[in-house]
Amino acid sequence: MSGNEAMAEAAIRAGCYFYAGYPITPQNEIPTYMARRMKEEKRVFIQAESELSAINMVFGAAATGTRALTSSSSPGISLKQEGISYLAGAELPAVIINVMRGGPGLGNIASAQSDYFQSTRGGGHGDYFTPVLAPWSVPEGARLVMLAFDLADYYRTPVLILADAIIGQMMEPLIMPLRSEFKKKLPAKPWALTGAKERGQNIAKSFFLKEGALEMHNQKLGNKWKDLRNNEQRFSSYKTDDAKYLIIAYGSEARIAWEAVDILREQKIKAGLFRPISLWPYPEAGLQKCAKNIKKIFVVEQSLGQMLDDVKLALPGKEVKFLGKTGGGIPSVSEIIKFVKSTT
């Protein structure tokens, strides 16, 4: 399957009952796939008239306790940001897939990783964060979508899958996971708008006018972000036990860096790879452990340097070098090897 199709099928198997979206390349295979499969499953698919409509339809579905999904690509996600902020403020679970393309503006449809700031810093207005998961393969895309629905329900928050055009478009074999890897027991949804017969009314809102009410609500949200930081950091590492030089990359760029590490090892350069899977919360504890005996850090991105900031925050005092390309440019295996060798 392509990455887009695998993520769509994983959402269906995770119990997604409602999808609303609007076409944009390079994620169009997701709504195309959902249009067919949701009908087969007798669930709800809507091609909305705009990205704004789609995210607000997701808000409505999520308010009923229904597992809801939308997807788009970079400019479309920008249009959805107000709705994502509303979801976070109203504590409604939903999953949003962003298959990144080049920007700013309309940019182009090539792969990029330039939405990192937008994704990991809330993106919309107000004080909030959105958990962000970044797959580096088609199978992992499916696995993380399933996980995202459970994280969303457990923490009552929108969760973002940050893929890129390479991950969305590439095809790989996979065994579709049967269930999420999430281990915690999911809570009931007494807050859901399911009709108030024989119970008090529920209200889904992010609007607090009474003096001090919004401050109290935001403090509650702040405690949630703290719990996420403490409990949901995810990463993988490769050949870091004896490494002296550490390459840090995520998404499709980590696939490229993996090969560079192997070739550097063949050339007697002790390189290793650290790959953040959760971009927020950033896996700083794991990075600090992996980088303990590292001489030099190399950050590689399909951007002008966005994850770079989080690496520097996690590793104060460490020498950090950066290699990036943007607007569809992709640092290659040979470029990474040359970059590492030129500074070691």
Side-chain angles (χ1 to χ4, degrees), residues 14 22 41 61 96-97 152 172 206 211 232 279 330 334 342:
Y22 186 80
E41 298 292 331
I96 301 106
I97 299 175
E172 290 187 298
S206 61
E211 185 176 354
E232 304 301 341
L279 302 183
I330 300 169
S334 60
S342 69

Side-chain angles (χ1 to χ4, degrees), residues 136-209:
W136 80 327
S137 69
V138 172
E140 189 173 65
R143 182 169 62 83
L144 292 183
V145 165
M146 285 194 169
L147 173 63
F149 277 102
D150 282 354
L151 287 171
D153 277 350
Y154 186 83
Y155 289 100
R156 285 185 62 184
T157 182
V159 176
L160 186 66
I161 299 291
L162 194 63
D164 55 58
I166 293 175
I167 300 301
Q169 294 292 317
M170 69 188 294
M171 297 186 74
E172 290 187 298
L174 77 156
I175 297 173
M176 189 64 65
L178 296 176
R179 61 186 64 85
S180 166
E181 65 186 37
F182 196 67
K183 302 301 182 185
K184 298 180 179 71
K185 182 179 179 182
L186 297 179
K189 299 180 178 180
W191 47 265
L193 308 186
T194 55
K197 186 177 181 180
E198 298 179 357
R199 66 160 172 82
Q201 68 176 181
N202 288 336
I203 301 174
K205 66 173 184 176
S206 61
F207 192 45
F208 297 86
L209 281 178

